[in-house]
Amino acid sequence: MQPVFVTAFTAVTACGQGCKPLLDALLEQCSYLQPARLIQPEFLTCTGEVDTPLPEVRAELHPYSTRNTRIALAALDCEGAAFRDAVASAIARYGAERVSVIIGTSTSGIYETELAYQEHVASGAMPGTFDFKRQHAWVATAEFLKKELRLGGPRFAISTACSSSGKAVSAGQRLIETGVSDAVLVGGVDSICHLTLHGFRSLELTSETPCMPLDRDRSGISLGEGAGLLLLERDRSSDSNMMLVGYGESSDAYHMTAPHPDGAGSAQAMQSALSMADLAPDAIDYVNLHATGTRLNDQSEMRAMATMFGSQTPCSGTKGITGHTLGAAGATEAVITLLALSHGFAPGTCGIRHVDAEFSSHVLTETVPLPNMRYAMSNNFGFGGNNVSLIFSRGGHDV
Amino acid sequence: MMYKASLAVLGTGASFQKPEDARMFDREGCDMEADLLPSRLRCRTSVATKVAFAAAERACLSAGITPSALPVIFTSSLGEIDVADKLCSDIAQQHFPISPTRFHNSVHNTASGYWSISVGTRHPAMAMAAYQDSFALALLEAWSQLHTIEDKILLVCYEETPPQQMLPGNDWIGCAVAFVLASGQASEGGVTSLSMPYCEHTEHSEQDYSDGSPVLAAIALLDALEQGRAGKVQISPSADNTWFAELFHQHG
């Protein structure tokens, strides 16, 4: 695989807008999960919501305005609009036609559709602001970003549930390797909505208390929302020495909602990523796990981890801080992995009290310094048995 | 720019929800029957998933390739839109708890997920969308995968009829088209090849069905392939940025 540079990255999460609040939360192991607020269901659950004020979409693009696009816009403009500037400089270097956008999402702007249906039930008509094509359609946020940033390359959405934005990262690498684009904005955006809040509840997968991934007493997920954005480039154009050096994708071929009990599909994704990067398992210094906090998901992933990495490689799950951001999980956790690499630490598993005794991997309960970290992996798995594993490096990748 | 043959078409398939629609496109018999869709799923999967399965199964059969040997790309601008409509209605009327089956059947990768489970493949499964460009960009994604990591791939483009409440005035039909593709030029046997898909800015496209289903563009390509046409074929219905591919037909 042709490695590509990650020249800029950012995230908007429950921790706040930008990398800084997320980095602080990772270092201090501070959870941002609180009882659900945006939507208050009739059952107990905690969520990681973006409570910080979201920017307004400019008038010209207002038909695209949804909670999703406003979270994406916040990611462009937080921390002095650093990410927006990085995209602008990529356009200046390569030309707008050579810059593409691929966004992963699990529910796109369905939150606004839910509100429109409520109005329809009350008044008999959909609200005048409802615009299915620009709000609910899967590609809406990618199209909004293309127009907002005046990109000229292809734009599409990937929606494979919780692996969506991990797969957006690998699809972006392919567009560069094949010469279709020189830079690709890849990422994931998802907002809290009734569909997922009530849906995971109906599957009995939500936790009443903040989620406790990998804990022996874990009882389900806490939903989150947010955006993670990465700028992949053919050439190194910034001070960033972060690279994507491998990815692996696979299917479980097992069940729509339950993972393969032994993690065979997820192990295959990790193995493919290692093969593509031409790395042995012991080259990986840290693995950011999918670790949702459900009984079966964590068990499946940890069995795959034991098969792949034995008991030495440090690993952790970070959804106890941000919540499970679903279609945005792959990208926000790629950002977490890049923060760990660039700042030389491995985050702990926030919320954990007792590591499940069945898990033989080196689960980090606390954040630890790893100043010489060079390669880190990030895993994401979704409904349909859809798996993706990414490998990032700091510095060169000469194997 | 010269576009060269770089995608060989090994097999194709189509499926229509309604016989009258199949007739309108001269594809009698291309119904929604799919042997690969397990009977326990037939009563609870959508039209979108059914047409996708049927077209995919026919494409594998026509290519003579076992379905489990192929990574897949499923593309649809709207996906499981009928399930989304029912769930939004349930939610608006506070009919809680919502159906867990309905919930997991609302994800965009419902069809691709059931496909990988039903045929028993661990190959990667992509589920993507690009509204009216859903077919064109899936062809680009297929081309990218075939020029980096895969040898052969199954591409399925499918839609069902969206509820009028969501997309007022639409006349979309439930249908799907599938292609089995390989990298490189077509080998012996008189099969056809495509170039890499490319985009051109056009004021007015030849066929402007800009709010139409992307599957119509896939059907147009299927027609061109079967008629042995060569040259430029429009593969997206958009009015301003239109996608094309060059078609190469080799007589074996």
Side-chain angles (χ1 to χ4, degrees), chain A residues 117 132-133 138 155 157 159 167 174 178 195 198-199 202 247 249 251-253 255-257 268 276 383 386, chain B residues 77-78 85 87 96 98 100 103 108-109 114 117 121-125 127-129 137 141 149 165-166 211:
Chain A
Y117 271 62
F132 179 86
K133 186 176 165 179
W138 301 104
R155 56 96 182 94
S159 190
K167 285 169 88 90
R174 290 193 288 268
T178 52
L195 180 84
H198 288 281
S202 74
Y247 68 82
E249 300 177 32
S251 301
D252 273 4
H255 190 268
M256 269 311 270
T257 57
Q268 184 175 318
M276 193 180 276
F383 277 2
N386 200 298
Chain B
S77 59
L78 308 179
D85 170 62
L87 283 168
F96 299 130
I98 61 174
F103 170 57
H108 191 54
N109 61 322
Y114 279 132
I117 294 165
T121 179
R122 292 226 169 107
H123 283 294
M128 56 182 284
L137 292 189
E141 168 66 11
I149 49 169
Q165 190 166 327
M166 286 196 176
D211 248 1

Side-chain angles (χ1 to χ4, degrees), chain A residues 35-389:
Chain A
R37 300 166 306 288
L38 180 71
I39 294 167
Q40 294 171 349
E42 75 285 10
F43 53 89
L44 281 179
T45 195
C46 292
T47 49
E49 298 180 15
V50 180
D51 290 326
T52 43
L54 295 172
E56 294 289 345
V57 171
R58 62 189 158 96
E60 190 190 326
L61 295 178
H62 208 262
Y64 289 92
S65 181
T66 60
R67 188 164 176 83
N68 248 40
T69 51
R70 292 176 69 199
I71 290 173
L73 188 58
L76 295 182
D77 287 332
C78 61
E79 298 184 319
F83 194 86
R84 181 189 286 273
D85 290 348
V87 174
S89 80
I91 291 173
R93 268 193 307 284
Y94 305 115
E97 300 299 313
R98 304 289 303 163
V99 186
S100 308
V101 53
I102 306 171
I103 294 297
T105 185
S106 68
T107 51
S108 190
I110 202 169
Y111 176 65
E112 277 68 23
T113 305
E114 291 168 353
L115 299 178
Y117 271 62
Q118 285 170 14
E119 189 166 326
H120 189 268
V121 164
S123 73
M126 298 288 269
T129 52
F130 178 69
D131 187 333
F132 179 86
K133 186 176 165 179
R134 293 177 182 83
Q135 296 170 2
H136 180 135
W138 301 104
V139 80
T141 302
E143 188 164 293
F144 165 74
L145 287 168
K146 173 168 173 159
K147 287 177 187 282
E148 174 67 23
L149 296 165
R150 298 186 168 84
L151 309 178
R155 56 96 182 94
F156 62 92
I158 293 175
S159 190
T160 54
C162 307
S163 60
S164 300
S165 54
K167 285 169 88 90
V169 175
S170 51
Q173 185 278 338
R174 290 193 288 268
L175 287 188
I176 293 175
E177 180 164 337
T178 52
V180 171
S181 301
D182 293 318
V184 188
L185 192 182
V186 296
V189 190
D190 254 331
S191 77
I192 297 277
C193 61
H194 290 84
L195 180 84
T196 48
L197 205 58
H198 288 281
F200 281 105
R201 167 70 174 182
S202 74
L203 288 167
E204 300 176 352
L205 291 175
T206 53
S207 170
E208 290 189 356
T209 53
C211 67
M212 300 161 68
L214 311 177
D215 194 281
R216 71 173 187 204
D217 300 320
R218 65 190 182 279
S219 61
I221 66 168
S222 298
L223 277 186
E225 63 180 355
L229 301 179
L230 289 73
L231 184 62
L232 306 182
E233 288 192 53
R234 181 181 304 282
D235 306 320
R236 182 177 174 186
S237 63
S238 72
D239 293 338
S240 168
N241 58 354
M242 297 294 134
M243 301 178 88
L244 174 74
V245 299
Y247 68 82
E249 300 177 32
S250 73
S251 301
D252 273 4
Y254 180 70
H255 190 268
M256 269 311 270
T257 57
H260 188 282
D262 296 325
S266 41
Q268 184 175 318
M270 291 187 242
Q271 181 55 58
S272 298
L274 288 166
S275 302
M276 193 180 276
D278 204 9
L279 292 172
D282 63 7
I284 301 296
D285 299 303
Y286 164 68
V287 181
N288 186 280
L289 303 165
H290 189 52
T292 62
T294 73
R295 303 295 314 173
L296 294 179
N297 284 358
D298 291 4
Q299 183 184 57
S300 166
E301 183 174 16
M302 295 313 280
R303 286 178 179 170
M305 282 295 292
T307 307
M308 290 303 304
F309 292 100
S311 59
Q312 295 303 309
T313 308
C315 59
S316 65
T318 47
K319 290 183 173 71
I321 294 174
T322 59
H324 187 351
T325 59
L326 305 180
T332 51
E333 288 159 20
V335 169
I336 287 171
T337 305
L338 291 162
L339 286 171
L341 270 171
S342 53
H343 292 268
F345 73 97
T349 303
C350 186
I352 201 165
R353 288 186 302 216
H354 307 95
V355 179
D356 190 320
E358 195 208 310
F359 303 161
S360 58
S361 300
H362 181 189
V363 173
L364 297 171
T365 55
E366 302 288 334
T367 295
V368 296
L370 275 181
N372 299 320
M373 191 181 341
R374 187 160 172 214
Y375 294 106
M377 177 181 273
S378 179
N379 287 340
N380 290 98
F381 314 124
F383 277 2
N386 200 298
N387 310 310
V388 61
S389 204

Side-chain angles (χ1 to χ4, degrees), chain B residues 98-227:
Chain B
I98 61 174
S99 152
T101 304
R102 207 171 258 179
F103 170 57
H104 70 64
N105 282 355
S106 74
V107 296
H108 191 54
N109 61 322
T110 296
S112 63
Y114 279 132
W115 176 265
S116 63
I117 294 165
S118 300
V119 308
T121 179
R122 292 226 169 107
H123 283 294
M126 170 65 86
M128 56 182 284
Y131 207 73
Q132 67 272 37
D133 301 332
S134 294
F135 174 62
L137 292 189
L139 201 57
L140 183 71
E141 168 66 11
W143 182 88
S144 292
Q145 289 196 22
L146 290 170
H147 288 79
T148 50
I149 49 169
E150 305 291 2
D151 301 323
K152 294 184 178 67
I153 207 159
L154 170 63
L155 166 59
V156 191
C157 181
Y158 64 102
E159 300 289 351
E160 62 187 18
T161 307
Q164 292 296 320
Q165 190 166 327
M166 286 196 176
L167 208 58
N170 83 80
D171 56 358
W172 294 26
I173 60 172
C175 61
V177 176
F179 300 86
V180 177
L181 302 166
S183 55
Q185 293 189 34
S187 52
E188 309 85 57
V191 281
T192 44
S193 325
L194 297 168
S195 71
M196 167 190 176
Y198 59 94
C199 185
E200 283 182 359
H201 299 281
T202 45
E203 287 299 320
H204 301 285
S205 59
E206 320 162 18
Q207 292 161 285
D208 185 7
Y209 32 87
S210 60
D211 248 1
S213 155
V215 189
L216 298 186
I219 294 173
L221 177 63
L222 192 56
D223 288 342
L225 283 165
E226 289 172 354
Q227 291 156 10

